[in-house]
Amino acid sequence: MRSYLGIDIGGTFIKFVFKKDKEIQKGKIYIRDIISKNKPELIINEIKKIIEKHRPDVLGVAVAGLVDRKTGVLTASPNIKPLEKFPFKDELEKTLEIPVYVENDASLAAYGEYLYGAGKGSEILICLTLGTGLGGGAVINGKLLTGTSGSAMEIGHTTIEIDGLPCHCGRKGCLESYVSSYGLERVYYLYTDQKISSTEIITLANEGNVTAMKAMERFSEYLSIGLMNITHIFNPDRIVLAGGITENYPAVVDMAVSNLKNKAFHLPFRDLTVKRAELKEFSGAYGALGYAENEGK
Ligand SMILES: [Zn+2]
């Protein structure tokens, strides 16, 4: 029986899911301090430790950033700078001596939800991950939509406002500059002139603080514009929303859906279900596992 490991490398943790004989083990390792040292080999060492412990036959890797499908190189990664331009696939295969398949983390989060979570059975599934940034992924008739170069579904960097708020990508008015943790912080700032973290805003909203709840409402309007654009482009049967914001403040999903109902064409809205992710912070790692299983058969 072959065994498979899926890992998800983010700006704060490496999360992993290991599967052998249908048995699944998962875990996570804190790497923010390692990332700040700016040496790719330190991150590779952490991956090596997981490999040595579990000894998988195939490795799937989800990583935040643009992965070139043709070369396996991570071409851009705002949150994991040390790994930018790093020849991911080649270097890991050489060091670990097993086949390695690398994909964007948001795409693999969609794939993970499709195979193991809230996207099961969907024909046209779109998954959005609302976290530090805004990631998107699509699984169409069971197949991951990667795009020609591997950079499809950068829905976070579609423009919703000319000359809008600056985005981490350097553009202005991207959906992500409103619908992400830093987007939420700005929306709150516009109401209050106060700078507090997205976690604090969500805590306040959960405690019934009116201003924080208003900020969440405004946030959900921006989210619904993203959902409307997706609905009009893809006519999906399911959209899954992942990431800390929807997990810790589920009401934002209901608010966005009721806004969407007023904005979108009736026909595609009729056949759409919007759900929260089921795999929580492990969507990407599960997707990487599924990707390793399917690509590395
Ligand atoms: Zn952007």
mmCIF file of all heavy atoms in Angstrom, residues 206-251:
data_model
loop_
_atom_site.group_PDB
_atom_site.id
_atom_site.type_symbol
_atom_site.label_atom_id
_atom_site.label_comp_id
_atom_site.label_asym_id
_atom_site.label_seq_id
_atom_site.Cartn_x
_atom_site.Cartn_y
_atom_site.Cartn_z
ATOM 1 N N ASN A 206 -18.509 39.482 17.676
ATOM 2 C CA ASN A 206 -19.141 38.342 18.354
ATOM 3 C C ASN A 206 -19.696 38.722 19.733
ATOM 4 O O ASN A 206 -20.616 38.092 20.235
ATOM 5 C CB ASN A 206 -18.143 37.185 18.499
ATOM 6 C CG ASN A 206 -18.086 36.349 17.226
ATOM 7 O OD1 ASN A 206 -19.102 36.141 16.557
ATOM 8 N ND2 ASN A 206 -16.891 35.866 16.883
ATOM 9 N N GLU A 207 -19.104 39.777 20.323
ATOM 10 C CA GLU A 207 -19.608 40.243 21.623
ATOM 11 C C GLU A 207 -20.783 41.217 21.473
ATOM 12 O O GLU A 207 -21.288 41.745 22.461
ATOM 13 C CB GLU A 207 -18.478 40.947 22.394
ATOM 14 C CG GLU A 207 -17.430 39.976 22.925
ATOM 15 C CD GLU A 207 -16.151 40.675 23.395
ATOM 16 O OE1 GLU A 207 -16.085 41.930 23.329
ATOM 17 O OE2 GLU A 207 -15.234 39.976 23.816
ATOM 18 N N GLY A 208 -21.131 41.519 20.221
ATOM 19 C CA GLY A 208 -22.288 42.389 19.986
ATOM 20 C C GLY A 208 -21.949 43.862 19.830
ATOM 21 O O GLY A 208 -22.845 44.708 19.826
ATOM 22 N N ASN A 209 -20.665 44.188 19.706
ATOM 23 C CA ASN A 209 -20.269 45.590 19.502
ATOM 24 C C ASN A 209 -20.839 46.099 18.166
ATOM 25 O O ASN A 209 -20.567 45.525 17.108
ATOM 26 C CB ASN A 209 -18.732 45.672 19.516
ATOM 27 C CG ASN A 209 -18.230 47.067 19.237
ATOM 28 O OD1 ASN A 209 -18.328 47.560 18.122
ATOM 29 N ND2 ASN A 209 -17.691 47.702 20.260
ATOM 30 N N VAL A 210 -21.603 47.181 18.234
ATOM 31 C CA VAL A 210 -22.356 47.643 17.064
ATOM 32 C C VAL A 210 -21.439 48.078 15.915
ATOM 33 O O VAL A 210 -21.665 47.730 14.744
ATOM 34 C CB VAL A 210 -23.327 48.785 17.460
ATOM 35 C CG1 VAL A 210 -24.031 49.345 16.234
ATOM 36 C CG2 VAL A 210 -24.358 48.257 18.448
ATOM 37 N N THR A 211 -20.380 48.839 16.249
ATOM 38 C CA THR A 211 -19.471 49.313 15.191
ATOM 39 C C THR A 211 -18.796 48.137 14.494
ATOM 40 O O THR A 211 -18.691 48.108 13.260
ATOM 41 C CB THR A 211 -18.381 50.235 15.793
ATOM 42 O OG1 THR A 211 -19.024 51.135 16.693
ATOM 43 C CG2 THR A 211 -17.649 50.986 14.738
ATOM 44 N N ALA A 212 -18.331 47.167 15.287
ATOM 45 C CA ALA A 212 -17.664 46.002 14.694
ATOM 46 C C ALA A 212 -18.645 45.213 13.830
ATOM 47 O O ALA A 212 -18.287 44.730 12.742
ATOM 48 C CB ALA A 212 -17.091 45.112 15.801
ATOM 49 N N MET A 213 -19.893 45.129 14.285
ATOM 50 C CA MET A 213 -20.893 44.409 13.492
ATOM 51 C C MET A 213 -21.182 45.138 12.186
ATOM 52 O O MET A 213 -21.353 44.516 11.143
ATOM 53 C CB MET A 213 -22.188 44.225 14.295
ATOM 54 C CG MET A 213 -22.045 43.152 15.378
ATOM 55 S SD MET A 213 -23.396 43.177 16.559
ATOM 56 C CE MET A 213 -24.665 42.354 15.640
ATOM 57 N N LYS A 214 -21.184 46.469 12.251
ATOM 58 C CA LYS A 214 -21.387 47.269 11.028
ATOM 59 C C LYS A 214 -20.241 47.038 10.047
ATOM 60 O O LYS A 214 -20.456 46.923 8.836
ATOM 61 C CB LYS A 214 -21.414 48.755 11.402
ATOM 62 C CG LYS A 214 -22.773 49.299 11.705
ATOM 63 C CD LYS A 214 -22.834 50.747 11.146
ATOM 64 C CE LYS A 214 -24.246 51.257 11.050
ATOM 65 N NZ LYS A 214 -24.629 52.051 12.225
ATOM 66 N N ALA A 215 -19.013 46.997 10.596
ATOM 67 C CA ALA A 215 -17.845 46.754 9.738
ATOM 68 C C ALA A 215 -17.963 45.389 9.067
ATOM 69 O O ALA A 215 -17.659 45.238 7.879
ATOM 70 C CB ALA A 215 -16.563 46.852 10.562
ATOM 71 N N MET A 216 -18.437 44.395 9.814
ATOM 72 C CA MET A 216 -18.599 43.049 9.246
ATOM 73 C C MET A 216 -19.663 43.065 8.143
ATOM 74 O O MET A 216 -19.532 42.375 7.132
ATOM 75 C CB MET A 216 -19.022 42.034 10.325
ATOM 76 C CG MET A 216 -17.999 41.707 11.382
ATOM 77 S SD MET A 216 -16.351 41.242 10.816
ATOM 78 C CE MET A 216 -16.646 39.766 9.887
ATOM 79 N N GLU A 217 -20.688 43.891 8.352
ATOM 80 C CA GLU A 217 -21.755 43.990 7.361
ATOM 81 C C GLU A 217 -21.224 44.597 6.057
ATOM 82 O O GLU A 217 -21.508 44.114 4.965
ATOM 83 C CB GLU A 217 -22.851 44.877 7.941
ATOM 84 C CG GLU A 217 -24.250 44.420 7.615
ATOM 85 C CD GLU A 217 -25.256 45.287 8.334
ATOM 86 O OE1 GLU A 217 -25.356 45.164 9.575
ATOM 87 O OE2 GLU A 217 -25.905 46.106 7.656
ATOM 88 N N ARG A 218 -20.436 45.658 6.224
ATOM 89 C CA ARG A 218 -19.840 46.314 5.050
ATOM 90 C C ARG A 218 -18.893 45.339 4.342
ATOM 91 O O ARG A 218 -18.878 45.245 3.116
ATOM 92 C CB ARG A 218 -19.071 47.558 5.522
ATOM 93 C CG ARG A 218 -18.520 48.392 4.403
ATOM 94 C CD ARG A 218 -19.627 49.151 3.691
ATOM 95 N NE ARG A 218 -19.111 50.005 2.632
ATOM 96 C CZ ARG A 218 -19.737 50.218 1.479
ATOM 97 N NH1 ARG A 218 -20.873 49.634 1.227
ATOM 98 N NH2 ARG A 218 -19.216 51.025 0.576
ATOM 99 N N PHE A 219 -18.129 44.626 5.127
ATOM 100 C CA PHE A 219 -17.203 43.619 4.604
ATOM 101 C C PHE A 219 -17.977 42.590 3.771
ATOM 102 O O PHE A 219 -17.569 42.204 2.679
ATOM 103 C CB PHE A 219 -16.504 42.953 5.798
ATOM 104 C CG PHE A 219 -15.560 41.853 5.437
ATOM 105 C CD1 PHE A 219 -14.230 42.132 5.133
ATOM 106 C CD2 PHE A 219 -15.982 40.531 5.416
ATOM 107 C CE1 PHE A 219 -13.349 41.109 4.803
ATOM 108 C CE2 PHE A 219 -15.111 39.510 5.088
ATOM 109 C CZ PHE A 219 -13.793 39.798 4.783
ATOM 110 N N SER A 220 -19.134 42.176 4.299
ATOM 111 C CA SER A 220 -19.925 41.155 3.601
ATOM 112 C C SER A 220 -20.468 41.687 2.269
ATOM 113 O O SER A 220 -20.675 40.924 1.332
ATOM 114 C CB SER A 220 -21.076 40.658 4.481
ATOM 115 O OG SER A 220 -22.128 41.592 4.473
ATOM 116 N N GLU A 221 -20.648 43.011 2.172
ATOM 117 C CA GLU A 221 -21.100 43.584 0.887
ATOM 118 C C GLU A 221 -20.001 43.453 -0.166
ATOM 119 O O GLU A 221 -20.259 43.108 -1.311
ATOM 120 C CB GLU A 221 -21.486 45.047 1.058
ATOM 121 C CG GLU A 221 -22.860 45.229 1.684
ATOM 122 C CD GLU A 221 -23.194 46.688 1.917
ATOM 123 O OE1 GLU A 221 -22.859 47.546 1.066
ATOM 124 O OE2 GLU A 221 -23.772 46.975 2.979
ATOM 125 N N TYR A 222 -18.764 43.745 0.253
ATOM 126 C CA TYR A 222 -17.650 43.556 -0.686
ATOM 127 C C TYR A 222 -17.529 42.076 -1.073
ATOM 128 O O TYR A 222 -17.327 41.737 -2.239
ATOM 129 C CB TYR A 222 -16.333 44.047 -0.072
ATOM 130 C CG TYR A 222 -16.217 45.552 -0.038
ATOM 131 C CD1 TYR A 222 -16.228 46.252 1.165
ATOM 132 C CD2 TYR A 222 -16.114 46.286 -1.223
ATOM 133 C CE1 TYR A 222 -16.125 47.632 1.187
ATOM 134 C CE2 TYR A 222 -16.021 47.676 -1.210
ATOM 135 C CZ TYR A 222 -16.028 48.341 -0.004
ATOM 136 O OH TYR A 222 -15.931 49.697 0.010
ATOM 137 N N LEU A 223 -17.666 41.226 -0.079
ATOM 138 C CA LEU A 223 -17.593 39.787 -0.361
ATOM 139 C C LEU A 223 -18.660 39.389 -1.376
ATOM 140 O O LEU A 223 -18.405 38.618 -2.307
ATOM 141 C CB LEU A 223 -17.750 38.988 0.946
ATOM 142 C CG LEU A 223 -17.884 37.472 0.822
ATOM 143 C CD1 LEU A 223 -16.681 36.863 0.107
ATOM 144 C CD2 LEU A 223 -18.038 36.822 2.208
ATOM 145 N N SER A 224 -19.859 39.961 -1.222
ATOM 146 C CA SER A 224 -20.951 39.577 -2.129
ATOM 147 C C SER A 224 -20.675 40.034 -3.564
ATOM 148 O O SER A 224 -21.113 39.397 -4.509
ATOM 149 C CB SER A 224 -22.293 40.114 -1.627
ATOM 150 O OG SER A 224 -22.338 41.510 -1.767
ATOM 151 N N ILE A 225 -19.916 41.115 -3.722
ATOM 152 C CA ILE A 225 -19.541 41.537 -5.088
ATOM 153 C C ILE A 225 -18.622 40.476 -5.713
ATOM 154 O O ILE A 225 -18.790 40.088 -6.867
ATOM 155 C CB ILE A 225 -18.851 42.924 -5.077
ATOM 156 C CG1 ILE A 225 -19.894 43.981 -4.720
ATOM 157 C CG2 ILE A 225 -18.226 43.232 -6.446
ATOM 158 C CD1 ILE A 225 -19.345 45.373 -4.565
ATOM 159 N N GLY A 226 -17.677 39.975 -4.904
ATOM 160 C CA GLY A 226 -16.814 38.887 -5.383
ATOM 161 C C GLY A 226 -17.641 37.663 -5.746
ATOM 162 O O GLY A 226 -17.442 37.045 -6.799
ATOM 163 N N LEU A 227 -18.605 37.333 -4.879
ATOM 164 C CA LEU A 227 -19.452 36.153 -5.132
ATOM 165 C C LEU A 227 -20.296 36.349 -6.393
ATOM 166 O O LEU A 227 -20.496 35.418 -7.174
ATOM 167 C CB LEU A 227 -20.363 35.874 -3.930
ATOM 168 C CG LEU A 227 -19.680 35.497 -2.622
ATOM 169 C CD1 LEU A 227 -20.724 35.301 -1.530
ATOM 170 C CD2 LEU A 227 -18.836 34.243 -2.776
ATOM 171 N N MET A 228 -20.765 37.579 -6.584
ATOM 172 C CA MET A 228 -21.576 37.846 -7.776
ATOM 173 C C MET A 228 -20.728 37.672 -9.043
ATOM 174 O O MET A 228 -21.162 37.027 -10.008
ATOM 175 C CB MET A 228 -22.146 39.264 -7.741
ATOM 176 C CG MET A 228 -22.986 39.581 -8.960
ATOM 177 S SD MET A 228 -23.434 41.320 -9.086
ATOM 178 C CE MET A 228 -21.881 42.054 -9.602
ATOM 179 N N ASN A 229 -19.528 38.219 -9.032
ATOM 180 C CA ASN A 229 -18.669 38.083 -10.209
ATOM 181 C C ASN A 229 -18.412 36.610 -10.523
ATOM 182 O O ASN A 229 -18.489 36.184 -11.671
ATOM 183 C CB ASN A 229 -17.341 38.825 -9.984
ATOM 184 C CG ASN A 229 -17.541 40.336 -9.917
ATOM 185 O OD1 ASN A 229 -18.568 40.846 -10.350
ATOM 186 N ND2 ASN A 229 -16.576 41.041 -9.360
ATOM 187 N N ILE A 230 -18.137 35.836 -9.485
ATOM 188 C CA ILE A 230 -17.897 34.394 -9.675
ATOM 189 C C ILE A 230 -19.151 33.719 -10.230
ATOM 190 O O ILE A 230 -19.076 32.911 -11.158
ATOM 191 C CB ILE A 230 -17.514 33.747 -8.325
ATOM 192 C CG1 ILE A 230 -16.118 34.195 -7.916
ATOM 193 C CG2 ILE A 230 -17.574 32.228 -8.394
ATOM 194 C CD1 ILE A 230 -15.775 33.825 -6.498
ATOM 195 N N THR A 231 -20.296 34.065 -9.648
ATOM 196 C CA THR A 231 -21.560 33.459 -10.072
ATOM 197 C C THR A 231 -21.843 33.764 -11.537
ATOM 198 O O THR A 231 -22.256 32.888 -12.300
ATOM 199 C CB THR A 231 -22.719 33.986 -9.191
ATOM 200 O OG1 THR A 231 -22.390 33.724 -7.834
ATOM 201 C CG2 THR A 231 -24.034 33.320 -9.531
ATOM 202 N N HIS A 232 -21.581 35.009 -11.937
ATOM 203 C CA HIS A 232 -21.855 35.382 -13.329
ATOM 204 C C HIS A 232 -20.849 34.789 -14.303
ATOM 205 O O HIS A 232 -21.179 34.553 -15.461
ATOM 206 C CB HIS A 232 -21.907 36.912 -13.457
ATOM 207 C CG HIS A 232 -23.133 37.499 -12.825
ATOM 208 N ND1 HIS A 232 -23.348 38.847 -12.697
ATOM 209 C CD2 HIS A 232 -24.221 36.900 -12.265
ATOM 210 C CE1 HIS A 232 -24.520 39.061 -12.104
ATOM 211 N NE2 HIS A 232 -25.055 37.892 -11.823
ATOM 212 N N ILE A 233 -19.646 34.550 -13.865
ATOM 213 C CA ILE A 233 -18.646 33.982 -14.778
ATOM 214 C C ILE A 233 -18.788 32.464 -14.880
ATOM 215 O O ILE A 233 -18.783 31.897 -15.961
ATOM 216 C CB ILE A 233 -17.204 34.358 -14.333
ATOM 217 C CG1 ILE A 233 -16.998 35.870 -14.433
ATOM 218 C CG2 ILE A 233 -16.161 33.634 -15.200
ATOM 219 C CD1 ILE A 233 -15.709 36.370 -13.816
ATOM 220 N N PHE A 234 -18.913 31.803 -13.727
ATOM 221 C CA PHE A 234 -18.830 30.330 -13.717
ATOM 222 C C PHE A 234 -20.183 29.621 -13.627
ATOM 223 O O PHE A 234 -20.252 28.439 -13.893
ATOM 224 C CB PHE A 234 -17.972 29.858 -12.536
ATOM 225 C CG PHE A 234 -16.524 30.176 -12.689
ATOM 226 C CD1 PHE A 234 -15.974 31.294 -12.097
ATOM 227 C CD2 PHE A 234 -15.698 29.337 -13.434
ATOM 228 C CE1 PHE A 234 -14.632 31.585 -12.234
ATOM 229 C CE2 PHE A 234 -14.357 29.619 -13.582
ATOM 230 C CZ PHE A 234 -13.827 30.750 -12.980
ATOM 231 N N ASN A 235 -21.201 30.281 -13.154
ATOM 232 C CA ASN A 235 -22.484 29.631 -12.890
ATOM 233 C C ASN A 235 -22.258 28.327 -12.097
ATOM 234 O O ASN A 235 -22.684 27.250 -12.505
ATOM 235 C CB ASN A 235 -23.192 29.364 -14.244
ATOM 236 C CG ASN A 235 -24.586 28.799 -14.103
ATOM 237 O OD1 ASN A 235 -25.135 28.312 -15.065
ATOM 238 N ND2 ASN A 235 -25.185 28.834 -12.936
ATOM 239 N N PRO A 236 -21.575 28.442 -10.960
ATOM 240 C CA PRO A 236 -21.230 27.227 -10.194
ATOM 241 C C PRO A 236 -22.430 26.657 -9.438
ATOM 242 O O PRO A 236 -23.393 27.385 -9.182
ATOM 243 C CB PRO A 236 -20.190 27.742 -9.194
ATOM 244 C CG PRO A 236 -20.513 29.185 -9.004
ATOM 245 C CD PRO A 236 -21.139 29.672 -10.282
ATOM 246 N N ASP A 237 -22.374 25.379 -9.113
ATOM 247 C CA ASP A 237 -23.422 24.820 -8.251
ATOM 248 C C ASP A 237 -23.051 25.005 -6.785
ATOM 249 O O ASP A 237 -23.914 24.947 -5.909
ATOM 250 C CB ASP A 237 -23.709 23.347 -8.580
ATOM 251 C CG ASP A 237 -22.504 22.450 -8.402
ATOM 252 O OD1 ASP A 237 -21.381 22.883 -8.723
ATOM 253 O OD2 ASP A 237 -22.660 21.312 -7.946
ATOM 254 N N ARG A 238 -21.763 25.234 -6.527
ATOM 255 C CA ARG A 238 -21.358 25.434 -5.127
ATOM 256 C C ARG A 238 -20.181 26.402 -4.990
ATOM 257 O O ARG A 238 -19.243 26.340 -5.781
ATOM 258 C CB ARG A 238 -20.967 24.093 -4.504
ATOM 259 C CG ARG A 238 -21.286 24.043 -3.027
ATOM 260 C CD ARG A 238 -21.129 22.660 -2.461
ATOM 261 N NE ARG A 238 -21.940 21.670 -3.140
ATOM 262 C CZ ARG A 238 -21.824 20.364 -2.976
ATOM 263 N NH1 ARG A 238 -20.932 19.887 -2.135
ATOM 264 N NH2 ARG A 238 -22.580 19.513 -3.637
ATOM 265 N N ILE A 239 -20.267 27.257 -3.995
ATOM 266 C CA ILE A 239 -19.113 28.080 -3.616
ATOM 267 C C ILE A 239 -18.822 27.759 -2.148
ATOM 268 O O ILE A 239 -19.730 27.779 -1.308
ATOM 269 C CB ILE A 239 -19.379 29.593 -3.770
ATOM 270 C CG1 ILE A 239 -19.703 29.951 -5.228
ATOM 271 C CG2 ILE A 239 -18.176 30.396 -3.283
ATOM 272 C CD1 ILE A 239 -20.043 31.436 -5.459
ATOM 273 N N VAL A 240 -17.582 27.414 -1.866
ATOM 274 C CA VAL A 240 -17.188 27.121 -0.490
ATOM 275 C C VAL A 240 -16.294 28.251 0.005
ATOM 276 O O VAL A 240 -15.368 28.676 -0.688
ATOM 277 C CB VAL A 240 -16.448 25.758 -0.421
ATOM 278 C CG1 VAL A 240 -15.801 25.564 0.945
ATOM 279 C CG2 VAL A 240 -17.412 24.617 -0.716
ATOM 280 N N LEU A 241 -16.616 28.751 1.197
ATOM 281 C CA LEU A 241 -15.824 29.834 1.771
ATOM 282 C C LEU A 241 -14.975 29.299 2.926
ATOM 283 O O LEU A 241 -15.503 28.753 3.895
ATOM 284 C CB LEU A 241 -16.744 30.955 2.262
ATOM 285 C CG LEU A 241 -17.590 31.616 1.165
ATOM 286 C CD1 LEU A 241 -18.563 32.625 1.760
ATOM 287 C CD2 LEU A 241 -16.709 32.295 0.119
ATOM 288 N N ALA A 242 -13.677 29.451 2.782
ATOM 289 C CA ALA A 242 -12.742 28.938 3.789
ATOM 290 C C ALA A 242 -11.995 30.105 4.427
ATOM 291 O O ALA A 242 -12.100 31.243 3.986
ATOM 292 C CB ALA A 242 -11.766 27.975 3.113
ATOM 293 N N GLY A 243 -11.219 29.782 5.472
ATOM 294 C CA GLY A 243 -10.379 30.806 6.093
ATOM 295 C C GLY A 243 -10.938 31.283 7.422
ATOM 296 O O GLY A 243 -12.121 31.095 7.728
ATOM 297 N N GLY A 244 -10.052 31.893 8.200
ATOM 298 C CA GLY A 244 -10.362 32.278 9.578
ATOM 299 C C GLY A 244 -11.566 33.191 9.732
ATOM 300 O O GLY A 244 -12.331 33.064 10.689
ATOM 301 N N ILE A 245 -11.760 34.116 8.798
ATOM 302 C CA ILE A 245 -12.826 35.116 8.979
ATOM 303 C C ILE A 245 -14.207 34.455 8.958
ATOM 304 O O ILE A 245 -15.037 34.693 9.838
ATOM 305 C CB ILE A 245 -12.738 36.222 7.893
ATOM 306 C CG1 ILE A 245 -11.391 36.957 8.019
ATOM 307 C CG2 ILE A 245 -13.900 37.206 8.019
ATOM 308 C CD1 ILE A 245 -11.105 37.962 6.931
ATOM 309 N N THR A 246 -14.441 33.584 7.959
ATOM 310 C CA THR A 246 -15.768 32.944 7.873
ATOM 311 C C THR A 246 -15.928 31.884 8.962
ATOM 312 O O THR A 246 -17.043 31.601 9.402
ATOM 313 C CB THR A 246 -15.992 32.284 6.503
ATOM 314 O OG1 THR A 246 -14.923 31.379 6.245
ATOM 315 C CG2 THR A 246 -16.038 33.309 5.404
ATOM 316 N N GLU A 247 -14.794 31.323 9.390
ATOM 317 C CA GLU A 247 -14.853 30.302 10.442
ATOM 318 C C GLU A 247 -15.234 30.918 11.785
ATOM 319 O O GLU A 247 -16.042 30.380 12.535
ATOM 320 C CB GLU A 247 -13.452 29.695 10.562
ATOM 321 C CG GLU A 247 -13.432 28.221 10.811
ATOM 322 C CD GLU A 247 -12.000 27.755 10.722
ATOM 323 O OE1 GLU A 247 -11.492 27.556 9.595
ATOM 324 O OE2 GLU A 247 -11.377 27.634 11.784
ATOM 325 N N ASN A 248 -14.646 32.081 12.073
ATOM 326 C CA ASN A 248 -14.858 32.704 13.380
ATOM 327 C C ASN A 248 -16.052 33.654 13.432
ATOM 328 O O ASN A 248 -16.474 34.072 14.501
ATOM 329 C CB ASN A 248 -13.595 33.445 13.822
ATOM 330 C CG ASN A 248 -12.421 32.495 13.960
ATOM 331 O OD1 ASN A 248 -12.574 31.383 14.453
ATOM 332 N ND2 ASN A 248 -11.255 32.902 13.481
ATOM 333 N N TYR A 249 -16.560 34.002 12.267
ATOM 334 C CA TYR A 249 -17.758 34.857 12.233
ATOM 335 C C TYR A 249 -18.676 34.359 11.113
ATOM 336 O O TYR A 249 -18.816 34.985 10.052
ATOM 337 C CB TYR A 249 -17.357 36.326 12.023
ATOM 338 C CG TYR A 249 -18.463 37.295 12.375
ATOM 339 C CD1 TYR A 249 -18.767 37.575 13.707
ATOM 340 C CD2 TYR A 249 -19.216 37.911 11.376
ATOM 341 C CE1 TYR A 249 -19.799 38.448 14.030
ATOM 342 C CE2 TYR A 249 -20.248 38.791 11.698
ATOM 343 C CZ TYR A 249 -20.527 39.053 13.029
ATOM 344 O OH TYR A 249 -21.551 39.916 13.352
ATOM 345 N N PRO A 250 -19.332 33.205 11.349
ATOM 346 C CA PRO A 250 -20.118 32.558 10.293
ATOM 347 C C PRO A 250 -21.239 33.439 9.724
ATOM 348 O O PRO A 250 -21.614 33.284 8.558
ATOM 349 C CB PRO A 250 -20.739 31.344 10.997
ATOM 350 C CG PRO A 250 -19.917 31.129 12.213
ATOM 351 C CD PRO A 250 -19.333 32.441 12.598
ATOM 352 N N ALA A 251 -21.732 34.397 10.533
ATOM 353 C CA ALA A 251 -22.833 35.244 10.058
ATOM 354 C C ALA A 251 -22.465 36.003 8.794
ATOM 355 O O ALA A 251 -23.341 36.371 7.997
ATOM 356 C CB ALA A 251 -23.239 36.230 11.156
#
